[in-house]
Amino acid sequence: MPDNDIGWGQGAVNNDIGWGKAQSNNTIGFGAIYENSPSGDTNLIGGTPTPPVPEGIANNYSMNFDGSNYINIGVSDVLNFTPRVDAFSVSVWIKKVGSGSFGGTIYSYNADSGPRQIQLTYDGSSQTLYAIIGGSNSTASANLTDGNWHHVVFVIPAATTGVLFYHNGSLITTTSSSIGTSTGTVGGNIGSRTNGSFNFNGSIDEIGIWNTELTSTQVQSIYNATGTNLTKDLTEISGSNLVYWNRMGD
């Protein structure tokens, strides 16, 4: 409103009464505040955008495993998947200590000394991820022994097409190994087989389990959401069905 006398500024440029125009050609949804005044403006065209704040929630703790301890999570109907019938996915962050041996079990369910329903293991000496599903092995090569945190996802389809392995947001292997049909009733462990053997040595954090196949986009969203002391809020992954989430100390 130009030339008014009621104490309101003109919504346009070149005014000196403290009201700027809502400039139209900016990229951040705010107009140029005081465009022609010493206060400057908010038009960022041609400038350097501020990096987005990383998505995620506070993650200040993890669980450390010394090669002999483990966490028993008991028997649960929502985790008792039947290989070749139920699809499921497991996401986890790990930091391995040393090269180790085949004993680095990350997660297991009904994985005793016989045919194992689910056993996810990292062999540091051969730098190999193992997904032993229904008594059948699927493997992928990955160097996780550098002392850094690594994000690993195992996707097990409801079929015989094997396992998809993701490392730090990227698909590294789609195996053609068969998936067995072994099941059991002994429950699950984090950091060992369910009989307490083949223990992990290192740190484990943010284990999430879904009764669906995570897509590559969903896997990448988990990895990309990390920032300083932040990880993905796994309840916000659209289109998935989270059935278990252990924040391992948070």
Side-chain angles (χ1 to χ4, degrees):
M1 185 187 300
D3 303 322
N4 72 80
D5 57 3
I6 57 175
W8 293 90
Q10 176 183 347
V13 296
N14 299 325
N15 74 82
D16 57 3
I17 55 177
W19 295 87
K21 76 169 183 176
Q23 187 160 317
S24 59
N25 63 341
N26 71 81
T27 59
I28 59 169
F30 287 92
I33 313 302
Y34 311 150
E35 176 168 313
N36 202 37
S37 75
S39 300
D41 61 53
T42 59
N43 186 2
L44 298 185
I45 293 177
T48 302
T50 302
V53 177
E55 178 188 4
I57 55 179
N59 181 25
N60 299 310
Y61 302 98
S62 61
M63 292 290 184
N64 184 63
F65 298 83
D66 61 7
S68 61
N69 58 344
Y70 60 88
I71 298 173
N72 177 257
I73 60 176
V75 177
S76 170
D77 289 341
V78 298
L79 299 177
N80 193 22
F81 302 109
T82 301
R84 291 174 126 185
V85 175
D86 302 319
F88 58 98
S89 305
V90 179
S91 167
V92 62
W93 289 86
I94 67 171
K95 182 193 286 187
K96 190 76 174 69
V97 174
S99 60
S101 64
F102 185 73
T105 302
I106 302 166
Y107 169 75
S108 65
Y109 198 88
N110 292 335
D112 219 317
S113 58
R116 296 179 288 283
Q117 181 177 356
I118 302 169
Q119 182 179 333
L120 307 177
T121 298
Y122 182 65
D123 179 358
S125 55
S126 65
Q127 297 186 347
T128 303
L129 285 163
Y130 286 83
I132 307 172
I133 310 297
S136 297
N137 287 4
S138 298
T139 62
S141 297
N143 182 4
L144 312 182
T145 59
D146 57 4
N148 296 318
W149 281 103
H150 293 265
H151 181 233
V152 178
V153 176
F154 306 82
V155 178
I156 298 87
T160 59
T161 53
V163 178
L164 284 69
F165 294 86
Y166 290 86
H167 174 219
N168 288 349
S170 299
L171 179 68
I172 54 174
T173 299
T174 303
T175 69
S176 58
S177 303
S178 64
I179 297 175
T181 58
S182 172
T183 59
T185 58
V186 295
N189 281 351
I190 298 171
S192 77
R193 278 189 192 171
T194 46
N195 63 358
S197 65
F198 286 77
N199 300 66
F200 188 80
N201 189 11
S203 297
I204 299 176
D205 199 11
E206 298 292 323
I207 293 185
I209 301 175
W210 294 258
N211 62 5
T212 54
E213 299 176 37
L214 290 182
T215 67
S216 58
T217 300
Q218 291 168 332
V219 170
Q220 194 169 60
S221 75
I222 299 173
Y223 178 70
N224 288 345
T226 56
T228 303
N229 293 331
L230 293 175
T231 50
K232 179 73 172 179
D233 183 345
L234 299 185
T235 65
E236 295 183 348
I237 299 178
S238 176
S240 69
N241 191 21
L242 184 69
V243 296
Y244 180 85
W245 184 15
N246 193 324
R247 302 213 60 213
M248 305 295 283
D250 283 293

